[in-house]
Amino acid sequence: MDIPFAASERSTIGVEWELALVDQDSGDLRQVAQTVLEAVAPVGGGEHPHIKQELLLNTVEVVTGVCRTVKEVTHDLSRSIEALRLVTDPLRVELMCAGTHPFARWTQQKVTDKERYATLIDRTQWWGRQMLIYGVHVHVGIEDRDKVLPISRAMLTHYGHFLALSASSPFWGGQDTGYASNRALMFQQLPTAGLPFQFDHWHELEHYVGDMMHTGVIDSFDEIRWDIRPSPKFGTLEMRICDGVPTLSELGSIAALTHCLVEHHSRELDAGRELPSIPSWFVQENKWRAARYGMDAILILDREAREELVTDDLERLLVQLEPVAEDLDCAEELNGVRDIMAAGGASYQRQRAVAAQQAGELDVVVAALVEEMRAGRPVLDRT
């Protein structure tokens, strides 16, 4: 099977951000996505170019255009949020983002009336209906198809770093799961979701996709839901590891880390150097460790099974990537990764801190997430 890879300008960047629609009074989810989407649609019909439909009626997705800097990304997303709030504020609906809603019940959520979503739920049944989860996807343009799979394998060596930084789903159905990212382990239950195969050559990917289509597992490439995947129609590598990110500042930092790492690995290939990779069993273990322990995870770094605390290795990475960040004009955003590691920590840590202060009341956790979304940054002082 031939899978063409679209022409794409090197190290362009785009982001998809899934947002929950929550009731301003109760904090529970509201099933009003269709109302919102109709209100923001252009005059004359069609859909908004940057505000999209998702699987559940409690969700909308904001997407950027093709950007060249992370600053452009955050500016683009800000415009979409402003457009959304013109509609949601009068409805007494708030925007919120986290890997999961802290207390909403999956049994009460409605699926968007669209054939592809109905087909997904019909096939996946109980697991599909439980996909009450939110994520962030970051696309980075790659100018040469032959670079895509080596860079994808190299990015897997940083899997745990991204999941720990973005982990924001400690609660599920009103209970503390004991995990920093419950979403990561839930999502991998879907067919073709989870960790990608580490193919060496593009024809191996084509053979895999051909087999999946021939046997009826998928009908299109987009139904491959790997945590990291090529996006042939855009000419990008798509990073789908992260939990929903609650604030624009944190999203900018995670986007900058993605942007810099892809460009760094692209430069290494240009210099004729072999990119790092680790066995799939180590990637699988890193995923579990980051999902379970978040910023306290000790990750396996290389084929020799060298291990290090995720925050220590992130500090090394940030120093290594400083020259790339300067070239990509995202030094400030990249440095924001240090803010996530310091102060109040990642979102799962902040959520648990709020719950502990309020005797486990999770509506207060939702209120804190809503407050952070409006502020565009973590709110650390609630005294």
Side-chain angles (χ1 to χ4, degrees), residues 41-114:
V43 176
E47 64 176 13
H48 192 284
H50 299 295
I51 302 173
K52 305 292 184 179
Q53 191 176 59
E54 261 297 329
L55 171 66
L56 297 175
L57 287 175
N58 60 51
T59 308
V60 294
E61 181 181 61
V62 292
V63 303
T64 70
V66 178
C67 302
R68 286 172 176 77
T69 67
V70 174
K71 290 178 178 62
E72 286 182 37
V73 165
T74 55
H75 183 65
D76 195 330
L77 292 171
S78 293
R79 286 201 308 269
S80 295
I81 296 298
E82 289 171 7
L84 274 171
R85 291 202 188 280
L86 291 175
V87 176
T88 56
D89 283 355
L91 295 173
R92 297 188 64 77
V93 167
E94 289 286 356
L95 304 176
M96 186 205 86
C97 190
T100 55
H101 187 285
F103 65 80
R105 303 292 175 175
W106 64 269
T107 53
Q108 298 172 355
Q109 310 311 312
K110 297 178 182 178
V111 178
T112 299
D113 184 15
K114 202 168 187 178

Side-chain angles (χ1 to χ4, degrees), residues 52-301:
K52 305 292 184 179
Q53 191 176 59
E54 261 297 329
L55 171 66
L56 297 175
L57 287 175
N58 60 51
T59 308
V60 294
E61 181 181 61
V62 292
V63 303
T64 70
V66 178
C67 302
R68 286 172 176 77
T69 67
V70 174
K71 290 178 178 62
E72 286 182 37
V73 165
T74 55
H75 183 65
D76 195 330
L77 292 171
S78 293
R79 286 201 308 269
S80 295
I81 296 298
E82 289 171 7
L84 274 171
R85 291 202 188 280
L86 291 175
V87 176
T88 56
D89 283 355
L91 295 173
R92 297 188 64 77
V93 167
E94 289 286 356
L95 304 176
M96 186 205 86
C97 190
T100 55
H101 187 285
F103 65 80
R105 303 292 175 175
W106 64 269
T107 53
Q108 298 172 355
Q109 310 311 312
K110 297 178 182 178
V111 178
T112 299
D113 184 15
K114 202 168 187 178
E115 184 178 354
R116 69 187 180 99
Y117 295 135
T119 300
L120 172 66
I121 296 299
D122 181 64
R123 182 175 186 220
T124 58
Q125 291 294 307
W126 191 78
W127 276 114
R129 289 193 294 270
Q130 288 209 70
M131 291 297 114
L132 183 53
I133 56 177
Y134 306 88
V136 166
H137 303 164
V138 180
H139 290 257
V140 180
I142 296 179
E143 79 284 8
D144 182 350
R145 192 187 73 175
D146 290 341
K147 285 184 169 184
V148 175
L149 295 179
I151 293 176
S152 178
R153 292 194 301 272
M155 294 299 283
L156 282 171
T157 67
H158 311 298
Y159 189 109
H161 305 73
F162 283 102
L163 186 55
L165 283 169
S166 68
S168 60
S169 50
F171 302 109
W172 174 253
Q175 301 292 320
D176 191 324
T177 65
Y179 282 77
S181 173
N182 189 50
R183 168 199 158 274
L185 302 185
M186 287 189 63
F187 186 58
Q188 69 185 11
Q189 305 306 318
L190 292 185
T192 73
L195 295 172
F197 296 105
Q198 296 195 45
F199 295 127
D200 291 319
H201 303 287
W202 192 260
H203 68 80
E204 294 175 281
L205 174 66
E206 291 175 327
H207 186 72
Y208 164 79
V209 174
D211 283 350
M212 294 299 98
M213 295 187 73
H214 178 73
T215 54
V217 178
I218 62 173
D219 293 320
S220 68
F221 189 95
D222 287 346
E223 293 176 25
I224 297 170
R225 300 181 177 92
W226 292 337
D227 298 334
I228 302 177
R229 70 180 182 186
S231 184
K233 69 179 179 181
F234 294 130
T236 64
L237 183 66
E238 182 181 4
M239 295 286 287
R240 300 159 50 89
I241 295 169
C242 292
D243 270 9
V245 178
T247 71
L248 192 60
S249 68
E250 290 169 293
L251 191 150
S253 294
I254 289 169
L257 181 61
T258 309
H259 203 195
C260 290
L261 276 169
V262 172
E263 173 61 21
H264 165 73
H265 291 312
S266 190
R267 292 180 183 189
E268 290 293 286
L269 286 175
D270 291 345
R273 290 187 281 268
E274 184 179 355
L275 298 190
S277 64
I278 57 175
S280 57
W281 48 91
F282 284 167
V283 182
Q284 185 176 35
E285 175 62 14
N286 281 343
K287 178 176 182 176
W288 187 87
R289 290 184 186 187
R292 171 65 179 87
Y293 300 111
M295 302 300 279
D296 295 318
I298 296 173
L299 300 180
I300 305 163
L301 302 183

Side-chain angles (χ1 to χ4, degrees), residues 270-344:
D270 291 345
R273 290 187 281 268
E274 184 179 355
L275 298 190
S277 64
I278 57 175
S280 57
W281 48 91
F282 284 167
V283 182
Q284 185 176 35
E285 175 62 14
N286 281 343
K287 178 176 182 176
W288 187 87
R289 290 184 186 187
R292 171 65 179 87
Y293 300 111
M295 302 300 279
D296 295 318
I298 296 173
L299 300 180
I300 305 163
L301 302 183
D302 52 32
R303 291 181 172 276
E304 287 68 45
R306 188 169 56 89
E307 297 174 282
E308 194 161 15
L309 182 67
V310 62
T311 49
D312 290 342
D313 198 54
L314 273 168
E315 184 57 45
R316 177 194 63 80
L317 268 179
L318 293 176
V319 173
Q320 180 185 26
L321 294 173
E322 283 174 359
V324 181
E326 289 291 340
D327 292 344
L328 295 177
D329 191 24
C330 63
E332 181 182 353
E333 292 86 355
L334 183 66
N335 191 55
V337 171
R338 292 188 172 94
D339 295 332
I340 300 175
M341 294 193 289

